[in-house]
Amino acid sequence: MIMEPNYNIVVIGMGNIGKYLMPGYRCLLGDKAGSNVFGVRRNPDKVAELQKQVPFPVSAGNTVRLLREKRPDIIIVSTPPAVIPLVAQEDLKPYFEEARRKGWNLPDIYTFGPTPEPRMYLDLLGEDVLAAKFLPSMIKEKQGVPLHKLGAGFLTFAGSFPREREARAIEFSDMFSRSFIVDQDQSLYGLSSKITTYTISDCVCAIADGLGDMGCQVPVKDIASGWRAAFRRHTGLEGQGMYPCAEEDAPAYIREFVCRMSDAWYDGILRYILSLGCDETLAQGFHGANFEAFSLAAQLSDRTGMEEDMRHRATKGGVTEKGISTFRSYFTGHLRQAARDWMEGSLDQSFFDTAEGIAYTINMTVNRHAYRLAAPK
């Protein structure tokens, strides 16, 4: 434990993210997570339902009053990105002004929207404010395999954090991801690369469907195992990682296709990251972490589980929805057809160049969408 768990945390925008962060509250507060965390929403919708799902109190419409009462050491802002500036202006600004007048300690702000950047809080609330933006991997344990320890999460600091409070933020981030400390732009192209990598599950499903059209029923997990093993060979990783995989798990008649698709998908995403000026070592670090994590997630899932995961991830209008919808609009049918053409021996080899370009394009689309999320309407 980095700091003594004798402080309060207020979660503004209590919803899916607020629930998801429960292991982090326990990490920082231990047994006091039930008594020292307070969730609040702008409206009363789902408060009763949420209250049944978390051990701490959840309320609605009383943000400033709750802040005054609890004087938290950490404020978590987990509203939709477009609402974050409104929360900062209407709720946080009056509280921070009052806290300064009365000599209260100013809380750290942990914000969970891709945009606006955490610097916004300092510009609005004052240079003495400390804000950290978290973009966790959002990948969960499957079949006992701790995928969150593989997937990359991004942490961006604004303000001069004292060493102990910086360590506390990193400890919180590490509960959900393999943390990479990056600047704002890096966090957004890191996020967009993660979302594009997430479409691996769509890739293996489209390949399985193409094979099914040809009368070959192949479990998606076998295709994902071959895909992941090809990635590990392509990037020079040794061994099988947290869970066994083998190119031979994909049937011989489609194995080369799967391996070349894996290489193209990895390379297309990486090429976009590098085109933005990212350091190659950093790019390979977080992109490789996510490619391994989501390949393994597909290997450990069935079709039903994949679709259920997508429904929980794809917030309406968000970056995950953008990545999935772009893939399905422009590539699902083509990839399914390519698998059929491969089986018939008629696939043009330039298809893999196209696949690499599609991965690049989805990444670009999602990255640009991330910047628009908190833009004025």
Side-chain angles (χ1 to χ4, degrees):
M1 183 61 60
I2 295 298
M3 301 179 76
E4 286 298 320
N6 56 355
Y7 51 83
N8 292 332
I9 297 174
V10 169
V11 184
I12 300 175
M14 183 66 201
N16 287 334
I17 292 291
K19 291 187 296 181
Y20 171 80
L21 296 176
M22 195 66 219
Y25 310 144
R26 293 195 179 103
C27 169
L28 297 186
L29 296 175
D31 293 340
K32 294 184 179 179
S35 60
N36 290 31
V37 179
F38 306 89
V40 62
R41 296 170 58 87
R42 280 191 169 268
N43 59 64
D45 292 352
K46 299 184 180 179
V47 166
E49 178 184 339
L50 282 166
Q51 190 61 82
K52 297 174 183 177
Q53 300 172 31
V54 296
F56 52 82
V58 180
S59 56
N62 61 330
T63 302
V64 176
R65 186 170 74 251
L66 186 65
L67 292 172
R68 287 173 180 148
E69 178 185 339
K70 304 303 178 185
R71 299 186 200 175
D73 286 77
I74 297 173
I75 296 173
I76 289 176
V77 181
S78 55
T79 65
V83 180
I84 288 175
L86 185 67
V87 168
Q89 179 68 45
E90 295 187 356
D91 299 325
L92 300 187
K93 189 173 182 179
Y95 175 71
F96 275 75
E97 290 173 349
E98 181 177 359
R100 287 191 190 93
R101 288 196 307 270
K102 296 183 176 178
W104 301 339
N105 291 330
L106 299 183
D108 297 347
I109 299 172
Y110 290 3
T111 189
F112 283 82
T115 53
E117 63 181 296
R119 175 73 212 183
M120 179 273 298
Y121 293 98
L122 279 64
D123 293 341
L124 179 65
L125 306 178
E127 291 293 330
D128 53 347
V129 171
L130 303 178
K133 187 187 80 170
F134 298 74
L135 295 176
S137 70
M138 300 297 290
I139 191 167
K140 298 179 179 178
E141 179 178 295
K142 289 183 183 294
Q143 297 186 31
V145 179
L147 295 174
H148 61 285
K149 294 185 180 297
L150 294 174
F154 303 99
L155 180 56
T156 303
F157 289 103
S160 300
F161 272 72
R163 183 187 59 81
E164 193 172 40
R165 289 160 76 174
E166 179 183 84
R168 179 172 65 179
I170 294 171
E171 182 183 33
F172 190 82
S173 177
D174 285 346
M175 289 299 299
F176 308 100
S177 314
R178 176 183 165 190
S179 299
F180 289 79
I181 300 175
V182 295
D183 64 27
Q184 174 67 6
D185 287 336
Q186 290 170 336
S187 76
L188 293 187
Y189 58 64
L191 173 65
S192 64
S193 70
K194 183 195 79 170
I195 299 302
T196 310
T197 302
Y198 179 58
T199 62
I200 287 171
S201 58
D202 265 71
C203 286
V204 298
C205 287
I207 294 170
D209 289 341
L211 295 177
D213 296 339
M214 303 297 290
C216 302
Q217 303 301 319
V218 181
V220 291
K221 67 180 180 63
D222 290 348
I223 297 172
S225 177
W227 176 292
R228 179 170 156 249
F231 152 71
R232 295 185 67 84
R233 173 180 49 78
H234 184 57
T235 56
L237 293 174
E238 296 182 357
Q240 297 182 319
M242 282 189 173
Y243 193 85
C245 63
E247 292 179 39
E248 291 73 21
D249 284 344
Y253 52 78
I254 197 66
R255 187 175 304 149
E256 183 182 348
F257 180 89
V258 171
C259 293
R260 292 180 67 179
M261 265 301 303
S262 176
D263 293 352
W265 214 243
Y266 175 86
D267 289 345
I269 298 168
L270 179 62
R271 188 156 58 87
Y272 180 71
I273 302 167
L274 296 177
S275 77
L276 297 175
C278 184
D279 172 78
E280 187 168 359
T281 300
L282 174 63
Q284 291 173 337
F286 65 70
H287 177 40
N290 281 325
F291 212 88
E292 170 77 352
F294 286 115
S295 297
L296 181 49
Q299 192 182 344
L300 296 172
S301 301
D302 56 19
R303 296 290 288 263
T304 301
M306 289 178 182
E307 289 296 334
E308 184 69 17
D309 185 64
M310 287 179 187
R311 279 194 293 272
H312 282 111
R313 282 175 174 272
T315 302
K316 186 172 178 56
V319 288
T320 301
E321 182 188 63
K322 178 60 67 176
I324 293 170
S325 64
T326 303
F327 181 97
R328 293 181 177 181
S329 295
Y330 296 105
F331 198 54
T332 297
H334 294 292
L335 180 53
R336 184 171 180 167
Q337 180 63 51
R340 294 196 295 263
D341 292 344
W342 178 273
M343 294 287 288
E344 294 175 340
S346 61
L347 182 67
D348 191 308
Q349 295 301 302
S350 64
F351 171 77
F352 299 104
D353 301 325
T354 300
E356 183 177 331
I358 289 290
Y360 182 103
T361 301
I362 294 174
N363 207 348
M364 178 179 65
T365 301
V366 175
N367 188 45
R368 291 180 178 178
H369 182 67
Y371 281 96
R372 300 186 187 108
L373 288 175
K377 302 300 183 186

